[in-house]
Amino acid sequence: MRERFRVAPRCGDAPPRVEDTHRVRMMRRITAARLRHCGLDPLIDEVAVIVSELLTNAVLHSGTTEIALSLSIRNGLLRVTVNDGMPGGATRKDVDENAESGRGLILVEAFVAERGGAWGTSDDGATTWCDLAIPKEVA
């Protein structure tokens, strides 16, 4: 699966446009439908959260005007890739219990570890990816 969508670059700390947050929600739904179609139902909840977090990071932090999401299966792994075309990759931050945001990549890291996978960013930081092992019962 490969999907691209346009977003408005954010100015300073202004919130993203409502349309852009709706696009993230739409991509999450498309992802769930695609996984269901491929018989990967056990991954739907985790991958939906991962897609949501990675796309939201791209919308909030990249300053880009176009984001690409792709899902691919290779060698028993599901790869989720988000490319915003902008340098400066995602980094996990430690946050305290009172923080209102900043836990997205912690969730991604936990889901990936639980599924025996890995995650990272491209050398230029324009792409964030994660691999999740496909459960043997559906592989």
Side-chain angles (χ1 to χ4, degrees), residues 46 108-117 132:
E46 292 153 329
V108 169
E109 190 173 82
F111 287 144
V112 168
E114 183 178 305
R115 290 285 180 186
L132 296 105

Side-chain angles (χ1 to χ4, degrees), residues 1 12 42 45 65 114 122 124 126:
M1 173 185 113
D45 292 338
T65 59
E114 183 178 305
S122 60
D124 66 357

Side-chain angles (χ1 to χ4, degrees), residues 22-89:
H22 285 237
R23 284 184 181 89
V24 170
R25 189 176 315 140
M26 181 178 64
M27 289 297 108
R28 190 173 56 233
R29 288 184 185 138
I30 289 170
T31 297
R34 185 66 181 156
L35 292 173
R36 196 170 294 109
H37 176 76
C38 293
L40 298 174
D41 296 51
L43 295 175
I44 290 173
D45 292 338
E46 292 153 329
V47 173
V49 171
I50 290 168
V51 164
S52 184
E53 293 300 335
L54 297 182
L55 290 176
T56 298
N57 280 349
V59 168
L60 291 177
H61 304 298
S62 71
T64 192
T65 59
E66 185 175 87
I67 299 171
L69 166 67
S70 67
L71 301 177
S72 59
I73 298 171
R74 192 173 347 151
N75 300 324
L77 296 172
L78 172 68
R79 175 162 279 199
V80 177
T81 306
V82 172
N83 181 289
D84 59 32
M86 303 295 281

